Amino acid sequence: TQNRINALKEKLNQFSYEYYVLDKPSVSDREYDLLYHELEKLEKKFPNLITADSPTQRIGDNVLPGFQKVQHDVPMLSLGDAFSQEDLLDFDQRIKKLTEKPVQYICELKIDGLAVSLHYENGLFTRGATRGDGTVGEDITQNLRTIKAIPLRLKQPLSFEVRGECYMPKDSFVKLNEDRDEKGLDVFANPRNAAAGSMRQLDSSVTASRNLSVFLYGAANFAELEVRSQSELLTKLSEIGLRTNPERRLFDSIEDVWAFIEEVGEKRSGLPYEIDGVVIKVNEFETQEEIGYTVKAPRWAIAYKFPA
Ligand SMILES: COc1nc2nc(N)nc(N)c2nc1C
């Protein structure tokens, strides 16, 4: 029985990874459901064999009285903004004054959601928090566990912190508002507010009903990952089970970065999630460290914001 339970958990967690993280399901929903119900039945019969990384353990069975405050080991910073091509050229000039090394830029979409931090210990998801004021956030572990795109166990027993954006896909937002309107409830103004409202639920079964997802883009205390650039980090995160946004590109010049931004501006309305900009980062970590930080933001990154 223990073996069967382990085999079912392995299969179901792999199917979830393919469906929610890679967006490439390999089995039908029905096949998934059959295995899921078999696991539920076995766990009901042998409750002492239930483990925290079982897919049946995503929805907590208690409503929290409130959210605990948590201190971020490494502050969650903000980003400087750019609103024009000229602002980007100025950014590029500043970078060139701060390092002699040739600079490669990585561009990532800036998802319009809620920044979150996820702690993994020996591969297990142990704690999740909001950004808060960057130093102190709120513990929303129970709610984050309900998000299927967040693995309860990584593919490797690694310990580090990962950061990203929790968001509500556009189609989930439309359906949620239609449903609320029918029930005479207030509708949400935009997917970002809907995601924030859904993450701040004390009852995780409500969060579970909101079809949230996540894109991860950063990490802290991640020496174990042995990566030397932002691009390598994103690839590693995806390999070990974490969802990253595929619309990322490397460029050798700020002119090419600008062309990419214009391209994204064109196709933005067709994306299945809302974005408010493009984040441009110096790709190599060694160069990032050389360039450094201001009190509240990295000097080696900037967020180009689309006109509202
Ligand atoms: C390096 O710090 C950051 N990197 C980011 N990257 C992406 N893609 N999106 C963000 N919102 C973001 N925010 C911050 C503070």
Side-chain angles (χ1 to χ4, degrees), residues 10-53:
E10 284 294 305
K11 278 186 192 321
L12 290 165
N13 287 337
Q14 176 59 20
F15 293 156
S16 266
Y17 171 64
E18 291 161 355
Y19 189 99
Y20 292 101
V21 177
L22 300 182
D23 301 315
K24 291 194 194 92
S26 71
V27 294
S28 66
D29 293 1
R30 176 166 161 66
E31 196 170 342
Y32 181 91
D33 292 346
L34 283 174
L35 293 175
Y36 186 90
H37 292 311
E38 183 188 345
L39 177 59
E40 270 185 321
K41 271 202 321 261
L42 280 175
E43 287 182 346
K44 215 173 247 96
K45 235 168 119 187
F46 305 98
N48 58 320
L49 297 180
I50 294 174
T51 58
D53 66 330

Side-chain angles (χ1 to χ4, degrees), residues 81-93:
D81 289 337
F83 299 98
S84 67
Q85 181 177 12
E86 190 184 359
D87 290 345
L88 288 181
L89 293 175
D90 292 348
F91 168 70
D92 184 50
Q93 289 307 314

Side-chain angles (χ1 to χ4, degrees), residues 77-79 108-111 165 217 279 281 298 300-301:
L77 301 175
S78 53
L79 287 171
E108 303 168 13
L109 301 188
K110 191 170 182 307
I111 310 300
E165 204 81 7
Y217 53 66
V279 181
K281 303 171 184 176
W300 44 264

Side-chain angles (χ1 to χ4, degrees), residues 142-174:
Q142 288 295 339
N143 289 339
L144 288 165
R145 284 178 64 88
T146 70
I147 300 177
K148 303 250 184 17
I150 293 178
L152 297 178
R153 177 191 285 280
L154 299 174
K155 290 176 174 298
Q156 288 172 25
L158 296 164
S159 301
F160 67 109
E161 181 185 339
V162 65
R163 292 158 173 200
E165 204 81 7
C166 175
Y167 71 94
M168 185 179 290
K170 286 178 184 170
D171 60 356
S172 303
F173 170 70
V174 170

